[in-house]
Amino acid sequence: MEIRLKLDPDEADMRAVRDGLIEYNRDASGREAGWQPVAIHLVDDNGTAVGGLTGATVFDWLFIQLLHIPQSLRGQGFGSMLMTRAEAFARERGCAGIWLDTFDFQARPFYEKLGYSVFGTIENHPIGGARYFLQKRLE
Protein backbone atom coordinates (compact mmCIF):
# COMPACT_ATOMS: atom_id res chain seq x y z
CA MET A 1 0.00 0.00 0.00
CA GLU A 2 1.05 3.57 -0.57
CA ILE A 3 -0.44 6.98 0.06
CA ARG A 4 -0.94 9.03 -3.11
CA LEU A 5 -2.10 12.63 -3.49
CA LYS A 6 -4.11 13.39 -6.61
CA LEU A 7 -5.16 16.88 -7.59
CA ASP A 8 -8.30 17.22 -9.71
CA PRO A 9 -9.56 13.69 -9.04
CA ASP A 10 -12.03 12.24 -11.52
CA GLU A 11 -15.39 10.68 -10.68
CA ALA A 12 -13.88 7.21 -10.22
CA ASP A 13 -11.40 8.61 -7.69
CA MET A 14 -14.21 10.25 -5.75
CA ARG A 15 -16.39 7.13 -5.93
CA ALA A 16 -13.59 5.00 -4.46
CA VAL A 17 -13.86 6.96 -1.22
CA ARG A 18 -17.57 7.85 -1.26
CA ASP A 19 -18.89 4.35 -1.98
CA GLY A 20 -16.79 2.82 0.78
CA LEU A 21 -18.01 5.42 3.26
CA ILE A 22 -21.63 4.96 2.19
CA GLU A 23 -21.30 1.19 2.77
CA TYR A 24 -19.65 1.71 6.15
CA ASN A 25 -22.32 4.20 7.24
CA ARG A 26 -25.10 1.81 6.20
CA ASP A 27 -23.56 -1.05 8.18
CA ALA A 28 -22.78 1.11 11.23
CA SER A 29 -26.11 2.95 11.37
CA GLY A 30 -28.37 0.13 10.22
CA ARG A 31 -29.96 2.28 7.52
CA GLU A 32 -29.27 3.86 4.17
CA ALA A 33 -27.74 7.33 4.26
CA GLY A 34 -29.77 8.29 1.20
CA TRP A 35 -26.80 10.11 -0.37
CA GLN A 36 -28.37 12.27 -3.09
CA PRO A 37 -26.30 14.93 -4.85
CA VAL A 38 -28.35 17.91 -6.02
CA ALA A 39 -27.85 21.01 -8.13
CA ILE A 40 -30.36 23.84 -8.47
CA HIS A 41 -29.35 26.15 -11.30
CA LEU A 42 -30.09 29.66 -12.45
CA VAL A 43 -30.64 29.15 -16.18
CA ASP A 44 -30.47 31.97 -18.74
CA ASP A 45 -32.70 32.42 -21.80
CA ASN A 46 -30.37 30.15 -23.81
CA GLY A 47 -30.79 27.29 -21.33
CA THR A 48 -27.28 27.73 -19.94
CA ALA A 49 -26.64 27.38 -16.21
CA VAL A 50 -25.08 30.65 -15.02
CA GLY A 51 -25.16 30.07 -11.27
CA GLY A 52 -27.03 28.23 -8.56
CA LEU A 53 -26.28 25.90 -5.72
CA THR A 54 -24.94 22.39 -5.23
CA GLY A 55 -25.05 20.01 -2.32
CA ALA A 56 -26.24 16.61 -1.16
CA THR A 57 -28.64 15.01 1.24
CA VAL A 58 -27.09 12.57 3.68
CA PHE A 59 -29.31 10.77 6.17
CA ASP A 60 -31.81 13.44 7.15
CA TRP A 61 -29.99 16.71 6.40
CA LEU A 62 -29.22 18.67 3.25
CA PHE A 63 -25.70 20.06 2.99
CA ILE A 64 -25.39 23.07 0.70
CA GLN A 65 -21.83 22.91 -0.56
CA LEU A 66 -21.69 25.84 -2.99
CA LEU A 67 -23.90 28.79 -3.88
CA HIS A 68 -23.06 31.34 -6.54
CA ILE A 69 -25.05 34.19 -8.05
CA PRO A 70 -23.33 36.11 -10.88
CA GLN A 71 -22.56 39.70 -9.90
CA SER A 72 -24.98 41.04 -12.52
CA LEU A 73 -27.88 39.12 -10.91
CA ARG A 74 -27.21 39.90 -7.24
CA GLY A 75 -29.77 41.90 -5.30
CA GLN A 76 -32.67 40.65 -7.41
CA GLY A 77 -33.89 37.89 -5.09
CA PHE A 78 -32.31 34.95 -6.91
CA GLY A 79 -30.35 33.83 -3.85
CA SER A 80 -33.51 33.70 -1.74
CA MET A 81 -35.34 31.86 -4.54
CA LEU A 82 -32.56 29.26 -4.76
CA MET A 83 -32.58 28.77 -1.00
CA THR A 84 -36.38 28.47 -0.98
CA ARG A 85 -36.17 25.79 -3.67
CA ALA A 86 -33.43 23.97 -1.73
CA GLU A 87 -35.61 24.07 1.38
CA ALA A 88 -38.55 22.65 -0.58
CA PHE A 89 -36.32 19.86 -1.91
CA ALA A 90 -35.09 19.10 1.62
CA ARG A 91 -38.67 18.90 2.89
CA GLU A 92 -39.64 16.64 -0.04
CA ARG A 93 -36.78 14.31 0.98
CA GLY A 94 -37.94 14.36 4.61
CA CYS A 95 -34.87 16.23 5.85
CA ALA A 96 -34.78 17.58 9.40
CA GLY A 97 -32.60 20.52 8.40
CA ILE A 98 -30.05 22.18 6.16
CA TRP A 99 -26.47 23.13 6.94
CA LEU A 100 -23.82 25.08 5.08
CA ASP A 101 -20.70 27.13 5.61
CA THR A 102 -19.62 30.62 4.55
CA PHE A 103 -16.65 32.91 5.04
CA ASP A 104 -16.91 36.27 6.80
CA PHE A 105 -16.52 38.07 3.44
CA GLN A 106 -19.36 36.09 1.87
CA ALA A 107 -22.99 35.74 2.88
CA ARG A 108 -23.46 35.15 6.62
CA PRO A 109 -26.04 37.99 7.02
CA PHE A 110 -27.95 36.68 3.99
CA TYR A 111 -28.28 33.21 5.53
CA GLU A 112 -29.17 34.60 8.96
CA LYS A 113 -31.94 36.67 7.34
CA LEU A 114 -33.31 33.36 6.00
CA GLY A 115 -33.41 31.84 9.49
CA TYR A 116 -30.01 30.11 9.64
CA SER A 117 -27.97 30.25 12.84
CA VAL A 118 -24.26 29.77 13.48
CA PHE A 119 -23.34 26.52 15.19
CA GLY A 120 -19.59 26.67 14.71
CA THR A 121 -16.75 28.97 13.72
CA ILE A 122 -13.17 28.53 12.58
CA GLU A 123 -11.38 31.71 13.58
CA ASN A 124 -8.51 33.01 11.47
CA HIS A 125 -9.61 31.02 8.37
CA PRO A 126 -8.62 32.41 6.03
CA ILE A 127 -5.88 34.19 7.99
CA GLY A 128 -7.40 37.38 9.35
CA GLY A 129 -10.97 36.19 8.75
CA ALA A 130 -13.43 33.53 9.87
CA ARG A 131 -15.45 30.62 8.48
CA TYR A 132 -18.96 30.09 9.84
CA PHE A 133 -21.06 26.95 9.89
CA LEU A 134 -24.80 27.57 9.87
CA GLN A 135 -27.89 25.42 10.20
CA LYS A 136 -31.61 25.70 9.85
CA ARG A 137 -33.95 23.10 11.26
CA LEU A 138 -37.02 22.40 9.18
CA GLU A 139 -40.39 21.87 10.80
Side-chain angles (χ1 to χ4, degrees):
M1 280 293 159
E2 66 178 283
I3 304 292
R4 186 179 301 163
L5 171 71
K6 185 172 186 180
L7 300 178
D8 299 318
D10 61 26
E11 181 57 30
D13 297 321
M14 302 299 286
R15 215 174 25 253
V17 176
R18 184 180 59 230
D19 290 354
L21 182 59
I22 288 170
E23 182 179 336
Y24 173 83
N25 287 346
R26 181 183 56 242
D27 294 345
S29 70
R31 63 188 181 124
E32 292 292 330
W35 172 272
Q36 178 62 63
V38 61
I40 303 171
H41 289 125
L42 286 173
V43 179
D44 69 13
D45 294 338
N46 298 319
T48 303
V50 297
L53 66 79
T54 63
T57 56
V58 180
F59 290 110
D60 50 4
W61 280 73
L62 169 63
F63 168 56
I64 295 177
Q65 182 179 24
L66 302 169
L67 184 141
H68 173 70
I69 308 295
Q71 187 67 37
S72 63
L73 298 176
R74 293 184 187 166
Q76 300 177 45
F78 290 112
S80 294
M81 287 186 266
L82 285 167
M83 294 299 292
T84 297
R85 182 62 188 98
E87 224 173 274
F89 169 75
R91 289 178 197 283
E92 291 163 12
R93 296 275 301 180
C95 291
I98 300 172
W99 72 279
L100 53 86
D101 63 272
T102 190
F103 291 105
D104 62 349
F105 56 84
Q106 290 179 326
R108 178 180 169 184
F110 165 74
Y111 295 120
E112 289 175 324
K113 183 177 75 174
L114 296 176
Y116 288 77
S117 59
V118 173
F119 69 88
T121 305
I122 301 175
E123 297 293 344
N124 211 31
H125 173 55
I127 294 173
R131 186 173 191 172
Y132 301 103
F133 296 82
L134 295 97
Q135 68 175 335
K136 181 177 182 177
R137 293 196 173 263
L138 304 175
E139 309 219 4

